[in-house]
């Protein structure tokens, strides 16, 4: 990841999930109460950004998802095979701790997620993100993501496009 101040690794039992505060109660609650179960059940992978003293400064989750071909803009869909769905990676959650906001960590975690999706041996067409509100959607739009016409808080970035920017 691009920020030298943080180290990103997979969530493990050694990480303190209870004290993480992003300013979004649902994202904090998910991290402290739910993520461990989701990881155990293999419905999400979770990655954490750590400070030098091993504090969790941010986290994000990744999972597999299918995009309906009919949900993509027609100009993009016509370049793809006519399967009903295309494979993608979904970043369901992304959160940065309050004290680290505005320092580039959110952007660096997004880049880290894109890098992992691009480097995966299993093919995926795009990274799909779920924004919790319009402000979060604007963050993703700022990073080149496009909203699905039918659901403006779900956005995507083709990994072929991301690869040229990483
Ligand atoms: C959204 C969030 C992840 C951004 O993290 P951050 O570390 O504060 O953001 P960064 O400092 O990395 O910002 C990177 C870039 O995005 C821009 N940006 C940040 N928030 C933005 C927003 N809401 N709208 C548009 N651009 C935004 C910054 O200006 C910066 O631009 P630059 O690289 O051109 O200078 C963070 O504010 C957060 O955790 N919010 C609460 C949870 C949340 O909304 N999660 C999002 C998905 S559900």
């Amino acid at each position: 990841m691009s920020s030298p101040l943080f180290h990103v690794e997979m969530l493990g039992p050694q990480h303190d999930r209870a004290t993480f505060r992003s300013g979004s109660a649902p994202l904090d609650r998910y991290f402290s109460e739910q993520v461990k179960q989701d990881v155990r059940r293999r419905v999400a992978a979770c990655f954490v950004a750590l400070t030098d003293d091993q504090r969790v400064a941010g986290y994000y989750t990744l999972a597999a998802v299918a995009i309906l071909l009919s949900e993509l803009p027609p100009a993009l869909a016509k370049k793809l095979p006519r399967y009903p769905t295309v494979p993608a990676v979904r970043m369901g959650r992304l959160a940065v701790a309050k004290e680290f906001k505005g320092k580039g960590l959110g952007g660096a975690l997004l880049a880290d997620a894109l890098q992992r999706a691009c480097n995966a041996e299993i093919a995926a067409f795009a990274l799909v993100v779920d924004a919790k509100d319009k402000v979060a959607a604007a963050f993703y739009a700022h990073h080149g993501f496009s909203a699905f016409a039918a659901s403006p808080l779900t956005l995507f970035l083709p990994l072929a496009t991301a690869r040229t920017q990483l």
Side-chain angles (χ1 to χ4, degrees):
M1 94 186 238
S2 53
S3 174
L5 299 173
F6 302 97
H7 165 74
V8 179
E9 64 187 37
M10 240 180 186
L11 177 70
Q14 71 279 23
H15 301 130
D16 175 18
R17 290 176 291 111
T19 57
F20 180 79
R21 296 289 177 270
S22 67
S24 161
L27 286 170
D28 298 347
R29 208 162 38 242
Y30 175 80
F31 189 58
S32 85
E33 294 171 16
Q34 180 70 37
V35 71
K36 213 172 123 192
Q37 277 186 51
D38 282 2
V39 169
R40 196 175 57 238
R41 292 172 178 154
R42 295 194 61 86
V43 295
C46 182
F47 299 89
V48 290
L50 300 170
T51 61
D52 276 352
D53 55 356
Q54 301 298 297
R55 275 184 304 144
V56 176
Y59 81 88
Y60 69 85
T61 61
L62 293 182
V65 72
I67 305 176
L68 283 172
L69 199 61
S70 57
E71 288 179 342
L72 288 169
L76 201 54
K78 77 174 186 211
K79 293 183 191 152
L80 291 165
R82 304 213 163 272
Y83 303 136
T85 61
V86 284
V89 174
R90 174 176 179 246
M91 189 166 72
R93 292 176 174 85
L94 164 69
V96 168
K98 278 191 265 185
E99 66 264 46
F100 297 107
K101 277 189 187 163
K103 298 181 195 299
L105 180 56
L109 283 174
L110 185 55
D112 192 81
L114 286 164
Q115 192 91 58
R116 281 179 209 278
C118 284
N119 292 345
E121 289 183 344
I122 299 172
F125 168 69
L127 185 73
V128 174
V129 293
D130 290 318
K132 69 176 179 60
D133 53 28
K134 280 185 182 169
V135 177
F139 169 77
Y140 293 118
H142 178 81
H143 288 89
F145 283 71
S146 307
F148 286 101
S151 48
L153 293 184
T154 307
L155 299 91
F156 71 96
L157 181 67
L159 291 177
T161 308
R163 205 186 279 276
T164 64
Q165 297 165 0
L166 289 169

